[in-house]
């Protein structure tokens, strides 16, 4: 490599990379959207112990959490068109982005179903009993009592998932999608200044994940305000307000296995 | 193009030689990562002046950027560093002599280190302060107390997260194909390149990864049962 490190390239590359930021964010948003729907559908049979569907959902979760997302990407990219051909749907003309979003969505769905399951199980059973004892119906008890608490429990883990997804979108370059990483590689090849491009890329990822984390943290505090109304809360808000990370408290029910795996 | 089930088997057999590469990548990154992570976690927990700041900067940076970016950064910057060093000290060798897999080892270890440091930190924090105090009160030194009392318990507490990290690194090792290391993922591409049966090849790779993941989970569960014997309740 016959070139010197030139810091000005970094500042040059950042705006260029930012032009494709929307693609990365679109993949994240699409994946999380699909993931929420699929995840809920996959979690319900296991929560209510529906005979056959329960097994199916188990296999689905196990597969998507047991194989690397890169392999899944290739699998769907090459396999989905053939699979859908069997039912006479032609998807060969669709852009690659479609396959990427579907794969990331299904991958997120597997994790989200685990998060939902863990969160609902973490809500004390006495809460449901109390709801029944004041005359609520099954649906009312779920919607008014269990769900809000479960969401509050799930949000920190969900936030981790969103950040993990953001980082995983970097793999979309393998299928030739021109998102941040793909674009960075092109810029690097064009200018032969690889190191500067990747530093710029890292800065952008860092900034985006930092911003996302901050937004999700605000969201988390808002949802969990029913949990603590004491001095500690005021302190935490103060830290948050000043831009510090509040001390994360452990929630044993959702920690452990249910934390989404980091990859990529 | 129709699905060719027999090729899945062919690909499966063809992929087997690449399993050691994937496992070695995982093993090296997890082991080095654990060492780096423990150092980082201890530096942060004991608030060692300069080291603690460096450590938290390192963890924030790595956890905020994709593993792929670390790999690419290392891959393109480490050779420059090596060449500069060897020119400086007249070592007589250059970056071209470094095998590709070394870059993957270095980069994956750095990635794993940051995640491991969080695992170790949460494990250590899960241990009651009283354990340390009790150890000190019977006359142990701080290193003794950490080694004999706190660490074994912390490992037990951190095991589920540790397992997740190992599986994460196993899955992450697929990225090695970007620096032309022939791991399972790259091998699947090679196996399929002769007849374009990519779907079958990746299916075989997915099955292998699935099996490896389940095996790791099983092993971890067995270790967990063994290691957390002390904390079971009851009387028997």
């Amino acid at each position: 490599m016959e070139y010197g490190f030139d810091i000005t390239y970094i500042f040059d590359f950042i705006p260029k990379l930012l032009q494709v930021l929307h693609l990365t964010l679109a993949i994240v948003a699409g994946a999380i959207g699909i993931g929420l729907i699929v995840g809920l559908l996959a979690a319900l049979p296991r929560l209510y112990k529906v005979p056959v569907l329960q097994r199916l959902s188990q296999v689905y979760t196990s597969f998507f959490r047991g194989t690397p997302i890169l392999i899944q990407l290739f699998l769907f990219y090459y396999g989905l068109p053939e699979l859908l051909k069997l039912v006479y749907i032609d998807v060969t003309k669709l852009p690659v982005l479609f396959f990427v979003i579907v794969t990331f969505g299904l991958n997120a769905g597997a994790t989200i179903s685990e998060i939902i399951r863990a969160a609902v199980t973490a809500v004390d059973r006495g809460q449901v009993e109390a709801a029944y004892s004041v005359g609520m119906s099954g649906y009312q008890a779920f919607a008014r009592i269990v769900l809000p608490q479960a969401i509050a429990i799930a949000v920190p883990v969900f936030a981790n998932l969103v950040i993990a997804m953001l980082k995983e979108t970097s793999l979309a370059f393998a299928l030739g999608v021109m998102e941040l990483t793909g674009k960075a590689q092109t810029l690097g090849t064009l200018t032969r200044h690889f190191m500067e491009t990747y530093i710029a890329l890292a800065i952008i990822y860092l900034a985006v994940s930092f911003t996302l984390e901050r937004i999700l943290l605000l969201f988390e505090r808002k949802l969990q305000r029913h949990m603590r109304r004491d001095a500690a809360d005021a302190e935490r808000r103060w830290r948050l307000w000043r831009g510090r990370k509040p001390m994360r408290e452990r929630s044993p029910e959702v920690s452990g296995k249910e934390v989404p795996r980091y990859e990529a | 193009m129709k699905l060719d089930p027999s090729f899945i088997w062919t690909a499966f057999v063809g992929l087997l030689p690449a399993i050691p590469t994937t496992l070695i990548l995982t093993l090296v990154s997890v082991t080095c990562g654990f060492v780096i992570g423990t150092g980082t976690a201890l530096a942060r927990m004991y608030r060692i002046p300069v080291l603690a700041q460096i450590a938290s900067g390192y963890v924030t940076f790595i956890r905020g950027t994709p593993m792929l970016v670390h790999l690419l950064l290392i891959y393109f910057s480490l050779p420059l560093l090596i060449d500069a060093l060897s020119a400086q000290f007249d070592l007589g060798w250059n970056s071209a002599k470094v095998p590709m897999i070394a870059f993957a080892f270095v980069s994956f270890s750095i990635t794993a280190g940051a995640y491991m440091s969080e695992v170790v930190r949460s494990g250590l924090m899960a241990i009651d302060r009283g354990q340390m105090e009790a150890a000190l009160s019977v006359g142990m030194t701080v290193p003794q107390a950490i080694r004999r009392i706190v660490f074994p318990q912390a490992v037990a507490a951190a095991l589920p997260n540790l397992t997740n990290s190992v599986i994460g690194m196993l899955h992450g090792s697929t990225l090695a194909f970007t620096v032309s290391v022939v791991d399972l993922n790259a091998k699947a591409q090679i196996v399929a390149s002769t007849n374009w049966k990519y779907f079958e090849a990746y299916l075989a790779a997915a099955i292998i990864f699935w099996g490896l993941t389940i095996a790791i989970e099983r092993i971890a569960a067995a270790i967990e049962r063994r290691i957390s014997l002390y904390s079971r309740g009851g009387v028997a």
Side-chain angles (χ1 to χ4, degrees), chain A residues 1 3 5 58-72 74-76 78-80 82-83 85-86 160 163 166-168 170-174 181 185 194-199 201-207 209-210 245 248 250 255-264, chain B residues 1-3 60-69 72-73 75-80 111-112 115-116 118 122 125-126 160-161 163-172 174-175 177-178 184-185 188-189 198-207 209-211 213-214 217 220-221 224:
Chain A
M1 259 163 272
Y3 70 89
F5 181 79
Q58 253 172 19
V59 172
Y60 159 73
T61 324
S62 168
F63 178 79
F64 277 93
R65 286 169 62 81
T67 51
I69 189 149
L70 193 59
I71 299 276
Q72 291 164 20
F74 284 123
L75 208 56
F76 273 80
Y78 291 116
L80 202 59
E82 288 179 47
L83 219 71
K85 220 182 274 174
L86 297 177
N160 278 349
I163 308 278
L166 169 76
K167 289 182 277 173
E168 278 172 9
S170 64
L171 296 179
F173 92 96
T181 309
Q185 280 187 329
F194 283 102
M195 213 159 99
E196 293 88 334
T197 3
Y198 293 132
I199 291 174
L201 182 64
I203 293 171
I204 293 177
Y205 273 119
L206 204 59
S209 63
F210 190 74
K245 211 172 168 175
R248 283 213 184 242
R250 286 182 288 126
S255 72
K257 289 240 168 202
E258 264 60 51
V259 178
R261 289 175 192 134
Y262 65 88
E263 264 153 76
Chain B
M1 205 156 76
K2 293 228 21 118
L3 183 73
T60 312
F61 176 78
I62 297 293
R63 282 165 54 95
T65 48
M67 194 168 160
L68 180 63
V69 175
L72 292 170
L73 265 177
Y75 181 61
F76 285 104
S77 63
L78 208 55
L80 296 181
T111 310
Y115 288 97
M116 286 289 182
E118 295 293 282
S122 74
M125 272 170 19
N161 286 331
T163 314
N164 267 347
S165 286
V166 175
I167 294 173
M169 288 320 294
L170 173 74
H171 292 178
T174 49
L175 291 177
F177 87 100
T178 44
L184 270 172
N185 178 41
Q189 231 152 12
Y198 285 103
F199 181 51
E200 287 85 346
Y202 281 111
L203 209 55
I207 292 168
F209 270 113
W210 199 1
T213 307
I214 291 174
E217 273 171 356
E224 197 174 345

Side-chain angles (χ1 to χ4, degrees), chain B residues 115-136:
Chain B
Y115 288 97
M116 286 289 182
S117 101
E118 295 293 282
V119 172
V120 173
R121 212 157 73 105
S122 74
L124 288 174
M125 272 170 19
I127 305 308
D128 196 64
R129 229 194 137 65
Q131 295 283 333
M132 185 72 174
E133 283 162 6
L136 293 179

Side-chain angles (χ1 to χ4, degrees), chain B residues 71-149:
Chain B
L71 182 62
L72 292 170
L73 265 177
I74 293 285
Y75 181 61
F76 285 104
S77 63
L78 208 55
L80 296 181
L81 195 68
I82 292 172
D83 286 344
L85 278 179
S86 94
Q88 186 84 36
F89 298 108
D90 216 16
L91 297 173
W93 60 296
N94 56 31
S95 56
K97 289 185 187 162
V98 180
M100 288 296 187
I101 200 165
F103 295 113
F105 283 153
V106 173
S107 142
F108 290 173
S109 301
I110 291 174
T111 310
Y115 288 97
M116 286 289 182
S117 101
E118 295 293 282
V119 172
V120 173
R121 212 157 73 105
S122 74
L124 288 174
M125 272 170 19
I127 305 308
D128 196 64
R129 229 194 137 65
Q131 295 283 333
M132 185 72 174
E133 283 162 6
L136 293 179
S137 76
V138 295
M140 288 189 190
T141 62
V142 172
Q144 270 180 338
I146 288 182
R147 205 173 60 239
R148 296 191 195 166
I149 307 295

Side-chain angles (χ1 to χ4, degrees), chain A residues 77-209:
Chain A
Y77 182 58
Y78 291 116
L80 202 59
E82 288 179 47
L83 219 71
L84 290 178
K85 220 182 274 174
L86 297 177
V87 286
Y88 304 106
I89 301 174
D90 187 24
V91 288
T92 44
K93 299 262 176 351
L94 284 177
V96 188
L97 194 64
F98 166 80
F99 295 98
V100 171
I101 293 180
V102 167
T103 314
F104 278 117
L106 288 175
N107 187 285
T111 312
I112 289 176
S113 90
E114 294 281 285
I115 295 175
I116 293 177
R117 219 160 56 87
V120 171
T121 335
V123 176
D124 195 50
R125 208 165 164 80
Q127 296 282 327
V128 185
E129 282 161 10
Y132 286 148
S133 76
V134 296
M136 286 193 190
S137 68
Y139 171 76
Q140 278 177 330
F142 184 78
R144 294 193 198 167
I145 308 296
V146 178
L147 202 61
Q149 295 187 53
I151 290 176
I153 295 170
V155 163
V157 198
F158 180 73
N160 278 349
L161 173 77
V162 176
I163 308 278
M165 267 295 139
L166 169 76
K167 289 182 277 173
E168 278 172 9
T169 57
S170 64
L171 296 179
F173 92 96
L175 296 186
V177 176
M178 269 300 140
E179 41 69 73
L180 281 173
T181 309
K183 179 83 178 171
Q185 280 187 329
T186 326
L187 280 177
T189 324
L190 277 175
T191 57
R192 312 296 302 162
H193 283 260
F194 283 102
M195 213 159 99
E196 293 88 334
T197 3
Y198 293 132
I199 291 174
L201 182 64
I203 293 171
I204 293 177
Y205 273 119
L206 204 59
V208 175
S209 63

